[in-house]
Structure formats: C-alpha cells, structure tokens
Amino acid sequence: MFKRLTNNLQRSEFDSLAKAFSRLGWTGFWMQIILGSVPLVLMFFVFIIARSPAGPRAGLPLVEYLTAASLLILIFTILWFYRYTRLARRITDPATRPSMLSATRTVWTGVVAGSLGIMTSMLLMLIETGNLLFNFLKAPQGGVPVFQTTGAGSMGWVSTIDMASLMALNLFLFAELIVLVFSLWLLFRTTQTYRESPQPSGK
C-alpha cells in the first residue's frame, strides 16, 4: 500500500513536470516566432510600403556579424523550445523518461543559449545607440529636429531604418529574456522533481 502510494506521488510529480515542459515549451515557441516575425513585418513596411530611404550611412562589419549571430541564436532557441515539448512526452513515460543528468543538460543548453542571445542583443543595441548618438551630436544643437545633417559625409544620415533596427533588437532581446526565464524555471522544476524521486535508468 505504501509502495503504491509512493509510486502514485512520483508519477504525479513527473506528470506535473511534463506539463510544465509542455506548457512553457509551446508558450516560448510561439512567443519567439511572433516576436521574431514582427521585425520582418516592420522591415517590409519600411522598405516596401513606406519606401523609406535607408540613407548612405554604412554599417560596421561587426554589427552585421552580430546580427547574423543573434538571428541564428533565435532560430536555435525556437527549435530548442520545440524540443522541450518532445521531452515532456518522454517524461510522462517511465520507460523513456530521461535521467536527471540528461534532462538538466537539455535545460542548461536553453539557459546558455538565452544568455548568449541577451548578450548579443545588448551589445548590438549599445553599438547602434552609440552610432545614433554620434550622428545626433554632429547635427546642429539649436533644438531644431534635424535628422539629416549636411556636409557630414557618408555618416550623416539618421533614417527610419535605424529606428526600425533598434525596435527589432528590442524584440529580439525580449524574446531571449523569455527564453532565459522559462529555461531557469524549468531547470528549477527539473532538479526539484528528480531530487525528490528516484532517478530513472533511461537516457
């Protein structure tokens, strides 16, 4: 009787953990897709519908590399949150339930990916904001709303695309923050559940 009660309690704990993986996995998956799609829609509006000129201001090569890295990290975390939903199915079945090491390693990967995404987005925002500040400091400082400076060479434009880029970076940063928070919560739930229950032999 006591053994049956213990098994039922353990099953309930792992079922709760599986629901957490499934719920947060799907929530994070769709939120990242939505937040990642908004910048694409914004760029489409700026370039196609509004036909806003980008200006002659050339970007730094480092910014291009960091932007590509940020996009790759976002794609990776989207796929990784889909993996959380698959892991939820394995947790519910004692025959395929992963070990504590395997489960925590999976969640730690999400934590590291989210942290890298946040660092990349913040670095991009610092570079872009500093670049915009430099251009505004070169403009006449008489309180006149000047967005295009004259005689300043190729670095004299501040256009709509600059603000759209900052908005996209903010959305990417918010998406990676969600990844980090959800992954940390899943890591806490995983370690708590496995420590209170015998570790399975599955991989």
Side-chain angles (χ1 to χ4, degrees):
M1 183 69 180
F2 178 76
K3 184 177 181 181
R4 181 182 300 176
L5 179 61
T6 302
N7 291 334
N8 289 335
L9 288 175
Q10 292 174 3
R11 183 180 306 170
S12 176
E13 291 174 356
F14 281 108
D15 286 345
S16 177
L17 178 62
K19 289 179 181 178
F21 267 93
S22 179
R23 181 171 60 252
L24 294 183
W26 283 119
T27 303
F29 176 81
W30 287 113
M31 288 187 70
Q32 288 181 86
I33 287 181
I34 293 173
L35 291 173
S37 300
V38 170
L40 297 178
V41 175
L42 183 61
M43 294 299 178
F44 176 81
F45 176 80
V46 170
F47 285 113
I48 305 301
I49 299 179
R51 298 184 181 275
S52 175
R57 187 168 67 88
L60 298 174
L62 178 61
V63 172
E64 297 178 1
Y65 297 142
L66 289 176
T67 302
S70 182
L71 288 173
L72 290 176
I73 292 174
L74 181 63
I75 293 173
F76 174 81
T77 53
I78 290 175
L79 296 176
W80 204 254
F81 265 68
Y82 179 77
R83 181 172 180 175
Y84 285 165
T85 62
R86 303 300 94 186
L87 184 61
R89 294 185 177 182
R90 294 178 56 196
I91 292 175
T92 56
D93 187 1
T96 60
R97 184 176 299 153
S99 64
M100 179 178 179
L101 178 61
S102 177
T104 54
R105 185 181 299 170
T106 300
V107 183
W108 266 113
T109 302
V111 172
V112 173
S115 301
L116 288 176
I118 290 175
M119 292 176 60
T120 304
S121 297
M122 290 185 67
L123 183 58
L124 277 169
M125 290 179 66
L126 286 173
I127 294 173
E128 288 294 313
T129 305
N131 204 358
L132 287 174
L133 177 62
F134 177 73
N135 282 277
F136 274 104
L137 288 176
K138 293 194 305 180
Q141 299 300 307
V144 180
V146 177
F147 293 91
Q148 175 185 355
T149 60
T150 58
S154 61
M155 295 293 290
W157 284 78
V158 176
S159 60
T160 307
I161 191 63
D162 296 306
M163 304 312 297
S165 176
L166 282 179
M167 177 60 71
L169 289 175
N170 276 285
L171 292 172
F172 287 159
L173 179 62
F174 184 55
E176 297 303 337
L177 183 61
I178 291 174
V179 170
L180 182 61
V181 172
F182 283 7
S183 296
L184 286 175
W185 174 247
L186 289 176
L187 180 63
F188 169 75
R189 289 292 309 274
T190 301
T191 54
Q192 184 183 42
T193 301
Y194 275 89
R195 284 175 180 173
E196 294 177 355
S197 303
Q199 297 185 16
S201 59
K203 297 182 180 181

